[in-house]
Amino acid sequence: MEFTKVKISVIDKNTAVLVNEYEQSMMLANGELAEGAGGGTQVWSKASGNWLLVSISASSKR
């Protein structure tokens, strides 16, 4: 898996958003090549000194 784009936006001292795009390929046991691509978004929030993942979404390009 290769992340072709990763962007982190800091909203404030307690909130950050990570957006990424990826491409992947793998050789299956039967010799076929499986490929895929997509992207995702993660929302992180800092609470009691710890960063917590509060939301995640993903979608496929192909």
Side-chain angles (χ1 to χ4, degrees):
M1 179 176 281
E2 179 182 342
F3 289 93
T4 55
K5 283 187 181 179
V6 176
K7 180 179 179 183
I8 299 171
S9 300
V10 178
I11 306 302
D12 60 33
K13 67 180 184 173
N14 295 313
T15 310
V17 177
L18 181 148
V19 177
N20 68 59
E21 292 182 14
Y22 68 89
E23 296 177 352
Q24 65 182 4
S25 63
M26 66 185 104
M27 186 66 65
L28 302 177
N30 66 3
E32 289 184 37
L33 182 64
E35 297 179 298
T41 302
Q42 300 173 6
V43 178
W44 291 80
S45 179
K46 191 173 187 180
S48 301
N50 296 311
W51 283 99
L52 305 172
L53 180 61
V54 296
S55 177
I56 188 168
S57 65
S59 62
S60 177
K61 278 187 181 179
R62 299 179 194 167

